[in-house]
Amino acid sequence: QVQLVESGGGLVQPGGSLRLSCAVSRFTLADYAIGWFRQVPGKEREGVACISIRGSFTYYVDSVKGRFTISRDNSKNTADLQMNSLKPEDTAVYYCATERIRFGCSVVSGRYDYWGQGTQVNVSS
């Protein structure tokens, strides 16, 4: 089965940093764009960032621009999300997912086929 596993979540104070990692198995990561999403109880899943197959295109929602950086290493089948200057409103379960698209990427959850189980990020003072 296709498998995506997120890691790197945890508790951090406002202004701190975390680096999330997504490891993919059972298929070649280079065939897919990668997206990061997050969700809190009672709210809809929210797109955060995405990166194209070769990494030449990235997209960030306004709330994380300048603070988060998405990257990928196709030789290792991994994708990361570096999160800096974290805010309490960043608290959520973060998910990585794959989008079968040849060019570019989006943060529309319905376009993604495979999802990880998520990793919890808590930003609190």
Side-chain angles (χ1 to χ4, degrees):
Q1 297 181 6
V2 175
Q3 182 175 353
L4 300 89
V5 179
E6 302 95 337
S7 62
L11 175 64
V12 64
Q13 293 185 339
S17 298
L18 286 173
R19 188 177 185 90
L20 307 182
S21 182
C22 176
V24 182
S25 63
R26 300 293 191 271
F27 68 96
T28 302
L29 186 65
D31 291 336
Y32 301 87
I34 297 295
W36 282 95
F37 298 80
R38 63 188 182 187
Q39 188 168 25
V40 300
K43 296 184 178 180
E44 295 184 357
R45 185 167 48 194
E46 175 190 24
V48 177
C50 69
I51 186 167
S52 62
I53 286 175
R54 300 187 66 180
S56 59
F57 176 87
T58 58
Y59 174 80
Y60 304 88
V61 296
D62 288 342
S63 60
V64 307
K65 284 182 179 178
R67 300 188 298 119
F68 291 11
T69 302
I70 189 171
S71 61
R72 67 188 299 158
D73 186 340
N74 289 343
S75 67
K76 298 179 179 179
N77 265 14
T78 59
D80 291 353
L81 183 69
Q82 177 67 45
M83 305 186 296
N84 298 326
S85 301
L86 284 163
K87 304 175 181 179
E89 51 262 43
D90 294 319
T91 296
V93 177
Y94 283 72
Y95 301 89
C96 65
T98 59
E99 180 183 20
R100 194 167 182 266
I101 185 171
R102 290 177 293 176
F103 305 102
C105 66
S106 72
V107 291
V108 179
S109 62
R111 297 179 62 89
Y112 287 76
D113 293 326
Y114 298 102
W115 296 78
Q117 296 185 23
T119 185
Q120 179 71 51
V121 173
N122 290 309
V123 185
S124 177
S125 60

